[in-house]
Every structure is written in structure tokens, then in C-alpha cells.
Amino acid sequence: MFDSTFNFSKSLEFQQFCELSAEIGRNPLLVQGAGGNTSIKEDDLLWVKASGTWLSEATEKKTMVAVDLAKLQQVMAQNDERVEKPQYFKADPNESLRPSIETVVHASLKHRVVLHVHCVETISWAVLENAEKLLVTPLKGLDWVFIPYRRPGLPLAREIQSKITEKTNVLILGNHGLVVAADSIKEAHQLLLEVHQRLRRARREVTIPKSNVALPAESNYRDAEFFAQGIAHDTISLEKVEKGSLYPDHVIFLGSGVQLLDSSTTLEQFEQNQPESLPKALIIPDQAVLVHKQAPRGTDEMLLSLTEVAARLQPNDRVEKLTFNDEAALLNWDAEKYRQELARRIASA
Ligand SMILES: [Zn+2]
């Protein structure tokens, strides 16, 4: 990027924006792995996190990519399917990074700075059946709206555009997360912390004994990081997350739902029964959370997210799961093929 169009990326404000992005990215209660994204608008450009990059690395690696905002907004106004391909709107054709699929969320808001996080406090409300009603009290006085779950990309952007006003600067995305917006980096950060604080829920403390599962060297699995182990030791959490998925990143990074090893099957049998379709994560209740050795970077962080969200769900909470069609759409699967694949996996487990 030698053209002066991109000079903003060398400014102090851009550096501060990257520093805030990294700070948010390092807080696992706000962002896990490659999830979440931030943006800042300057002149005709929207600088947004690139797909697959980690916010936590925003000051160390190239993380932000410039998008031609006018071109994107024009296509959004026409309800054009090209909105689903944010790479089409890259301001620099030589840029190898692709803008996040959630770029349209950022472009939907007029504010200069937009922060989108998978805040575990917010998600623990946003997965409840009556979330919108329940949030009225804790968010009183803020210009917020509740956005029912829609697939990230065009469907989510359309829903946002139909709900917001000029003043809206807090979006609670059903079964997904939080978006805050402001005209300065400082204000956006303060608003994010305020909502995170207002939505704090009681968290069950779980005692995690040191893993007592002896994993044979030839197993495809390893112990998950300690921070992701809690869910195996909390019956209420397991009940809440069993059968289905709560939010998109779970489906994208871990697959559908969570797989539990039932007490009548050994790990060895489990691995032999379905060698072609072993899940990325496997939970042995009361014992351990295991991660497939070939699972991509970030899998442990996604399990941490699940652990933290589930530990905030109370026994009487009525939890809304993503539908079968929601999951298939996230994975770009034909719904019927996806149903058959899931049925096959369940049958061989
Ligand atoms: Zn998201």
C-alpha cells in the first residue's frame, strides 16, 4: 500500500485502534480465537479485521484490511448477493487478506468505530428464549436493540438495518454476541466495557481435578487446555449445551453441538467406531475435555467460550439453540445432506 489513499494506516489513531483491538482480543471473556472483529471508518474506507486473523495479534501482524465503503454500501442498498463476498470490496486489489464476513455489520452502522465481540456475558443472555424482554432492565438508558438470530452476512445485515435508528449504538445479537459503536475509539471502548459490566451474570465455580484420563500415545486426542476443562465437571453446563449449538462460532469451529463419551464406551472404542469423522472436541463427563490433535488453532479457545457461557446459565434458564437449518447454512451445507451426515455420526457414536 504505497498510495496515499491508505495513509490512515500509518496514523497514530490507526495505531490506537489496533492497540484497542489487541486489548479486546486478549480478553477471553470478550473474544476467543479468530472470533470478533473491529472496524474504523476514515474518509471513503472502512478498515476492518480480516477473516481468519486474531484480534489479539492486531499490533504484531497485519490484521486490518481496507474496504471501499461507498461501493459496499451501494451493493447493500441493492440487496445484492455480492455482499456475501467481502473480498469484492477490498480497496486494494493487491491485498491478499479478505475482509471478515461480518464486514456488513460494520458498514450498517454510521459510527466511525464499531466493535463486535463474542462477549460471554452477553451471549449468556442472548441465548435465552426471552432475551429481549430480560435485557430491558440491565440495559435501561442505553440506545440498544435486540437483533434476533440471523446468519452472519447479508441476512444479519438486513435484520440490523430494519431495526436500528440513527441513535442505536448497542446491538445485542441473538445467539451470537454484542456490537457497540461510537465516533471515537475511547467512547467505543467505554461503551463496550459498560455493556459487558451491566450484563455480568453469576458464574458457577467448578472444581477441576487434574485430568485423570490416561491418553494412549496413539490416541487422536489430547487434553484440552486447563481453561477449557470446566465444562466436563459441571452437570448443569453439560445439560445446557447438550444437543445443539448456541452460537455460530461453535458450529464453525467445533461442529454441531458437543459430543459426549458415554460411560459404556471406551475412548479406544469411540475412535475405532468412527475413524473418519472424529469430532474436534470430545467431553468425558466428570473426567476431561479432549481436543483432536489435528484440530485447528483456536479450538481450545472455542471450548473456553462454551465453558464460560454455560457456567453462566442457570438451571431454570430456557435456552434457545440454533436450528438445524441455521447450522447447515453456517457450514454451507445443503440442509438435507447435513441432516444425513449428522444422523450417520450419531448412529456410529
Ligand atoms: Zn460474530
Side-chain angles (χ1 to χ4, degrees):
M1 292 196 184
F2 300 111
D3 196 295
S4 59
T5 313
F6 303 110
N7 272 347
F8 179 65
S9 67
K10 302 184 191 84
S11 71
L12 178 63
E13 190 182 20
F14 188 79
Q15 191 188 325
Q16 288 166 343
F17 167 67
C18 290
E19 282 165 7
L20 173 62
S21 300
E23 185 183 328
I24 294 169
R26 285 193 298 266
N27 183 343
L29 298 183
L30 293 175
V31 164
Q32 308 81 26
N37 34 69
T38 57
S39 73
I40 185 164
K41 299 178 185 81
E42 176 68 13
D43 295 331
D44 302 329
L45 298 181
L46 166 78
W47 293 84
V48 65
K49 195 201 82 141
S51 182
T53 61
W54 289 40
L55 281 178
S56 59
E57 297 173 341
T59 51
E60 300 156 33
K61 290 183 181 172
K62 191 169 185 310
T63 304
M64 302 297 165
V65 52
V67 165
D68 183 331
L69 186 57
K71 189 171 165 186
L72 174 58
Q73 284 174 333
Q74 189 188 7
V75 171
M76 283 165 69
Q78 295 163 348
N79 259 334
D80 191 312
E81 301 282 315
R82 279 176 300 177
V83 165
E84 299 280 38
K85 296 192 167 45
Q87 66 269 31
Y88 175 76
F89 306 98
K90 281 190 296 195
D92 179 356
N94 300 318
E95 174 63 68
S96 57
L97 293 175
R98 281 191 314 163
S100 161
I101 182 77
E102 288 174 327
T103 299
V104 278
V105 169
H106 296 259
S108 297
L109 292 153
K110 295 210 161 45
H111 305 77
R112 276 193 77 218
V113 180
V114 177
L115 310 174
H116 166 49
V117 291
H118 297 155
C119 160
V120 298
E121 305 287 0
T122 307
I123 295 176
S124 71
W125 292 88
V127 297
L128 303 180
E129 273 180 25
N130 44 351
E132 185 170 12
K133 231 175 164 181
L134 293 168
L135 285 162
V136 168
T137 304
L139 296 180
K140 196 167 188 269
L142 296 178
D143 290 310
W144 69 282
V145 291
F146 180 80
I147 309 290
Y149 177 80
R150 296 287 182 270
R151 178 176 63 74
L154 189 54
L156 178 57
R158 278 182 184 150
E159 190 67 28
I160 289 174
Q161 284 158 11
S162 74
K163 290 267 168 28
I164 57 172
T165 68
E166 292 277 311
K167 278 169 72 187
T168 308
N169 57 5
V170 175
L171 310 178
I172 307 293
L173 308 183
N175 285 85
H176 185 155
L178 168 67
V179 178
V180 299
D183 282 327
S184 75
I185 294 171
K186 199 175 159 198
E187 286 169 321
H189 189 196
Q190 280 171 348
L191 187 55
L192 176 70
L193 296 179
E194 178 168 358
V195 177
H196 179 70
Q197 188 63 28
R198 285 186 184 214
L199 296 186
R200 280 184 70 167
R201 297 195 79 194
R203 182 195 188 287
R204 278 185 304 286
E205 287 304 325
V206 179
T207 311
I208 309 168
K210 215 174 156 4
S211 172
N212 52 3
V213 178
L215 290 170
E218 63 275 16
S219 172
N220 292 290
Y221 287 93
R222 61 170 173 81
D223 271 315
E225 297 287 347
F226 186 75
F227 57 66
Q229 288 289 344
I231 195 152
H233 303 277
D234 180 25
T235 313
I236 298 169
S237 288
L238 281 178
E239 273 170 16
K240 295 293 175 193
V241 303
E242 230 181 354
K243 298 190 184 78
S245 314
L246 295 173
Y247 44 85
D249 268 11
H250 177 101
V251 180
I252 292 164
F253 291 95
L254 298 178
S256 176
V258 291
Q259 184 108 42
L260 307 188
L261 186 71
D262 76 71
S263 53
S264 63
T265 311
T266 66
L267 177 61
E268 198 181 1
Q269 287 166 340
F270 178 82
E271 292 189 60
Q272 280 168 0
N273 285 351
Q274 47 174 334
E276 301 303 317
S277 57
L278 290 171
K280 289 178 187 135
L282 179 63
I283 297 174
I284 310 180
D286 299 322
Q287 293 190 47
V289 177
L290 306 181
V291 172
H292 197 289
K293 287 174 182 167
Q294 304 297 322
R297 179 185 177 216
T299 303
D300 294 80
E301 284 75 8
M302 291 302 154
L303 286 162
L304 174 146
S305 168
L306 190 65
T307 304
E308 293 297 327
V309 169
R312 287 164 170 78
L313 297 174
Q314 303 305 317
N316 293 332
D317 284 347
R318 294 206 313 273
V319 173
E320 185 109 47
K321 302 277 171 69
L322 297 183
T323 66
F324 174 78
N325 284 340
D326 292 334
E327 289 193 5
L330 284 164
L331 297 169
N332 276 328
W333 280 65
D334 170 77
E336 181 53 22
K337 263 202 270 169
Y338 182 63
R339 190 192 61 74
Q340 288 170 9
E341 171 65 16
L342 283 185
R344 194 181 63 73
R345 268 189 241 166
I346 291 162
S348 62

